[in-house]
C-alpha cells in the first residue's frame, strides 16, 4: 500500500469530514500515535480496554476502561497506551458538540454510549443523514454531550523547576519529600514554589501530589496488581487511606472504576 493509502494519511488529506461524525473501523488508524500531532476536528478516543495516556500542553489525561478522551480540534497532543489497549476513535465536527472550543476532557462512557460508538464504526462513511443511520448519529451526539466529565486530568506546570519536581513525582509516586524539602534542594523559598504550583497548575502542591499518586495508580490497577501493593507503591501508608483518597477523588472505589467488561 502506498503511504497515502494508510488510514492515517487518508485522514490527514481530508479537507473536511464527509459527515459530521467520521469513524468507520476500516478507515481509521485505531492505534496510539505517540508523536506530537493535531487534527482539524475534535477526536474522541474510547478506551474499550487497557489505559490511554494523552499529553497536551495543559497536562496529562489518563483514560481507563469505560472512559473516553475528547481532544479538541487543533490541540497538539501525544497518545500512549498500555499493552493490549483497545481503542475506538471518532472524528467529529467541533460544532456538533456543546463543549467549549480548545478544551479537552475525559468522559465516562455508559454502556449505551459504548454500544453507539461501536455500532457507528460499522456504518457507511457517507451515511444517510435523514435515515436510520442519521438518527443513530444524533443519539450518539446527544449521549456524548450529556456524558459526565471525569477528574482524570493532571495539570502540568510550564516552568522548568516545577516541571522537574512533577516529573520526579510521576516517576516515583512514593517520593516522600515535602515542598520544603524541594525548596531547600533547589535553593528557593517554599513560598515561591507554593505560589508557582498554584499559579501554573491551579492546585496546591499537596493536592497536585495526591492527584498524581492516584492517577499513577491506574495503570497498575488496570494490570490487575493487588490494591495493597499499589497503595504502598504510590506512597500511602495504608490501604484504607488509599481507598479513601481514591473514592474521594473519583467518587468510586478502585474496583468500581476499573471493573472489566467483556470485549466483543
Amino acid at each position: 500500500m502506498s503511504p497515502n493509502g494508510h488510514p492515517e494519511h487518508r485522514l490527514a488529506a481530508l479537507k473536511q469530514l464527509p459527515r459530521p461524525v467520521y469513524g468507520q473501523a476500516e478507515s481509521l488508524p485505531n492505534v496510539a500515535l505517540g508523536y506530537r500531532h493535531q487534527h482539524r476536528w475534535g477526536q474522541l478516543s474510547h478506551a474499550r480496554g487497557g489505559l490511554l495516556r494523552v499529553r497536551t500542553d495543559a497536562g496529562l489525561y489518563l483514560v481507563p476502561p469505560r472512559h473516553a478522551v475528547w481532544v479538541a480540534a487543533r490541540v497538539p497532543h501525544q497518545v500512549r497506551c498500555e499493552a493490549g489497549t483497545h481503542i475506538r476513535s471518532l472524528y467529529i465536527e467541533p460544532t456538533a458538540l456543546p463543549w467549549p472550543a480548545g478544551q479537552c476532557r475525559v468522559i465516562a462512557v455508559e454502556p449505551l454510549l459504548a454500544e453507539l460508538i461501536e455500532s457507528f464504526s460499522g456504518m457507511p462513511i457517507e451515511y444517510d443523514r435523514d435515515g436510520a443511520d442519521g438518527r443513530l448519529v444524533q443519539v450518539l451526539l446527544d449521549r456524548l454531550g450529556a456524558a459526565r466529565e471525569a477528574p482524570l486530568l493532571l495539570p502540568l506546570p510550564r516552568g522548568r523547576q516545577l516541571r522537574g519536581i512533577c516529573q520526579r513525582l510521576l516517576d516515583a509516586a512514593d517520593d516522600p519529600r515535602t515542598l520544603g524539602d524541594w525548596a531547600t534542594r533547589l535553593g528557593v523559598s517554599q513560598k515561591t514554589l507554593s505560589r508557582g504550583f498554584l499559579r501554573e497548575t491551579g492546585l496546591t502542591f499537596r493536592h497536585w501530589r495526591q492527584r498524581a499518586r492516584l492517577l499513577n495508580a491506574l495503570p497498575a490497577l488496570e494490570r490487575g496488581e493487588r490494591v495493597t501493593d499499589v497503595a504502598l507503591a504510590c506512597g500511602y501508608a495504608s490501604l484504607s487511606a488509599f481507598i479513601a483518597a481514591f473514592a474521594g477523588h473519583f467518587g468510586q472505589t478502585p474496583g468500581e472504576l476499573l471493573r472489566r467488561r467483556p470485549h466483543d
Side-chain angles (χ1 to χ4, degrees), residues 21-66:
V21 182
Y22 177 70
Q24 287 64 27
E26 297 303 317
S27 60
L28 287 180
N30 286 299
V31 296
L33 301 181
Y35 54 86
R36 189 174 169 88
H37 65 288
Q38 60 181 290
H39 307 287
R40 296 186 178 94
W41 313 280
Q43 178 185 8
L44 184 86
S45 292
H46 175 214
R48 298 181 61 233
L51 190 85
L52 284 174
R53 304 169 191 254
V54 177
R55 187 182 288 264
T56 72
D57 290 341
L60 179 65
Y61 296 83
L62 273 79
V63 192
R66 301 188 300 127

Side-chain angles (χ1 to χ4, degrees), residues 101-209:
Q103 292 188 16
C104 304
R105 63 181 60 205
V106 177
I107 61 169
V109 176
E110 61 178 5
L112 174 58
L113 180 54
E115 291 303 322
L116 288 168
I117 293 171
E118 190 63 26
S119 296
F120 180 81
S121 68
M123 286 170 48
I125 291 176
E126 296 187 354
Y127 56 82
D128 182 359
R129 299 188 195 195
D130 298 320
D133 288 343
R135 291 191 292 273
L136 184 144
V137 170
Q138 191 55 56
V139 174
L140 169 61
L141 292 173
D142 288 345
R143 298 312 303 167
L144 281 174
R148 175 179 59 84
E149 186 170 0
L152 289 162
L153 165 65
L154 183 67
L156 295 175
R158 293 179 179 271
R160 181 178 59 82
Q161 281 187 330
L162 294 182
R163 191 168 281 256
I165 296 172
C166 291
Q167 190 58 56
R168 168 60 188 173
L169 296 176
L170 286 173
D171 293 339
D174 60 344
D175 190 316
R177 280 176 285 187
T178 66
L179 192 61
D181 294 334
W182 284 107
T184 299
R185 178 179 179 181
L186 295 172
V188 298
S189 72
Q190 182 173 332
K191 184 176 290 187
T192 295
L193 287 185
S194 178
R195 288 174 176 171
F197 257 98
L198 193 58
R199 181 180 64 252
E200 296 195 31
T201 70
L203 300 172
T204 65
F205 171 77
R206 182 173 67 85
H207 285 118
W208 189 94
R209 181 166 63 179

Side-chain angles (χ1 to χ4, degrees), residues 206-226:
R206 182 173 67 85
H207 285 118
W208 189 94
R209 181 166 63 179
Q210 175 171 284
R211 185 178 296 190
R213 285 174 167 177
L214 294 173
L215 295 184
N216 244 329
L218 293 179
L221 291 171
E222 168 62 12
R223 290 192 297 269
E225 295 182 20
R226 293 175 65 242

Side-chain angles (χ1 to χ4, degrees), residues 69-84:
V69 59
W70 169 254
V71 180
R74 306 289 185 183
V75 172
H77 60 284
Q78 295 171 282
V79 184
R80 300 188 185 280
C81 64
E82 298 287 299

